Amino acid sequence: MGSKNARSVPVLMYHHVTPSSGQITTSPENFDSQMAALAANGYTSLTADQFAGYLNGETVPEKSVLITFDDGYLDNYVYAHPILQKHGMHAVMFLVTNWAGQGDPRPVYGSGDPLPVCPSHHECKAIVAAGKANDIAVRWSEVRAMEAAGTFEVHCHTHTHTRWDLNCDRAGKCAGIANDLQLSRAALLRELNKDTPHLCWPQGYFDDDYIQAAEALGFSVFYTTDAYGFNVVGGDPKYVYRIAVRNKPGAWLMHRIGIAKNPYWGPLYNRWKKFRKQQRRARELRRANKA
């Protein structure tokens, strides 16, 4: 690694890479363009442990990025995996372990074989609710294939992706999240022989009870959905900022990373975006109160 440490490390957040359009989805063409742009501009895609080490003071290349995917959808294997491999990039998958099933690996993009259907986010949610997660989520065999290829490493996104704070009282919430994390940890140990400190909160929600339950099980690096901050040396590993990547070409991603890393424009942009988000929520609340 170079001697000049990164000033900050942007963490990119994806969910889907699929031709099926919809929310939180990037097309294979745009994902290919984004990974090509990172490679062409000399970016190193870190492992989760390299990123955690950076927060703790270790040196990483000046142009570093962490690429993350939430939930563990089948399209991550079918489309993102071969594109990452094409460009020599590495990503982190936060897997909902109860969704991952057994069975043989399915065909991937560029293999020449008929590809499985990789539906939109809305359709995936309905399929999971119908108890057919194996149709839209990665299988453990596919996870092992991706880890062996070096395109993905897999970490915890709980076992069921449940928002326990919305479903029960505090005692039930605490018991629910603790059990959810225990089941996820057991699945990762059983299937991958992996004891991970990396945890991504479902829907970005967490509170003190969630953190206490996670720390009791050995988790120590917590990934949020908040984009309005910087991941720097000495930064809090309990609050990792992530940038939601849009369905746009590589030029957009390089522009967004440039803003994120700029010591002057970055904070101004974050404050402006946070203000806009607060305004939008206030308008939604006013409309709800009038209804």
Side-chain angles (χ1 to χ4, degrees):
M1 293 186 179
S3 59
K4 191 172 183 180
N5 204 6
R7 180 177 291 171
S8 65
V9 174
V11 179
L12 309 180
M13 177 175 65
Y14 293 90
H15 285 76
H16 299 274
V17 174
T18 174
S20 301
S21 61
Q23 66 185 94
I24 55 178
T25 296
T26 304
S27 70
E29 294 75 18
N30 279 338
F31 186 68
D32 193 317
S33 176
Q34 291 168 3
M35 296 303 103
L38 288 173
N41 283 276
Y43 273 84
T44 297
S45 50
L46 302 179
T47 67
D49 284 348
Q50 285 173 329
F51 174 71
Y54 166 75
L55 295 178
N56 197 39
E58 296 176 13
T59 299
V60 298
E62 185 177 6
K63 288 185 174 182
S64 289
V65 67
L66 184 68
I67 303 168
T68 69
F69 282 75
D70 286 7
D71 302 339
Y73 295 104
L74 171 60
D75 58 67
N76 297 180
Y77 171 69
V78 173
Y79 292 99
H81 157 59
I83 293 171
L84 289 165
Q85 193 166 37
K86 172 184 174 182
H87 297 289
M89 289 291 161
H90 176 82
V92 171
M93 177 187 292
F94 293 111
L95 177 63
V96 182
T97 48
N98 189 46
W99 295 1
Q102 304 296 340
D104 294 332
R106 289 159 284 193
V108 299
Y109 184 55
S111 66
D113 297 321
L115 299 180
V117 175
C118 294
S120 70
H121 185 66
H122 178 75
E123 292 171 302
C124 284
K125 289 173 67 176
I127 291 168
V128 170
K132 298 180 180 179
N134 186 58
D135 292 346
I136 57 86
V138 293
R139 293 172 176 168
W140 289 109
S141 61
E142 294 161 348
V143 168
R144 286 188 281 270
M146 290 187 290
E147 289 208 324
T151 54
F152 275 99
E153 60 179 283
V154 174
H155 298 283
C156 181
H157 199 34
T158 73
H159 193 60
T160 66
H161 203 262
T162 300
R163 278 283 302 274
W164 295 98
D165 60 298
L166 299 178
N167 290 277
C168 40
D169 59 17
R170 186 184 179 198
K173 176 191 73 171
C174 293
I177 187 61
N179 185 60
D180 218 338
L181 291 171
Q182 286 173 335
L183 289 171
S184 182
R185 178 172 287 284
L188 291 168
L189 282 168
R190 180 182 68 249
E191 299 290 345
L192 305 177
N193 194 29
K194 179 173 293 187
D195 186 10
T196 175
H198 300 276
L199 168 64
C200 179
W201 300 116
Q203 301 178 43
Y205 178 82
F206 62 96
D207 59 22
D208 290 343
D209 293 328
Y210 273 49
I211 292 172
Q212 183 177 348
E215 288 183 326
L217 288 168
F219 293 103
S220 58
V221 188
F222 302 138
Y223 297 77
T224 75
T225 56
D226 186 356
Y228 311 129
F230 297 91
N231 303 305
V232 298
V233 172
D236 187 356
K238 296 179 186 177
Y239 206 102
V240 175
Y241 297 96
R242 295 193 296 164
I243 300 168
V245 180
R246 296 184 185 179
N247 186 24
K248 293 190 175 184
W252 173 87
L253 180 61
M254 299 315 302
H255 177 70
R256 182 66 183 88
I257 287 175
I259 292 173
K261 291 172 69 70
N262 189 288
Y264 176 75
W265 291 112
L268 290 177
Y269 180 84
N270 286 337
R271 285 199 292 269
W272 175 69
K273 290 289 286 185
K274 195 168 188 177
F275 174 70
R276 288 286 300 275
K277 185 176 182 180
Q278 290 169 342
Q279 281 190 318
R280 186 166 60 251
R281 286 180 173 174
R283 287 196 298 270
E284 292 170 352
L285 183 58
R286 287 196 294 270
R287 285 197 294 268
N289 289 336
K290 289 179 180 179

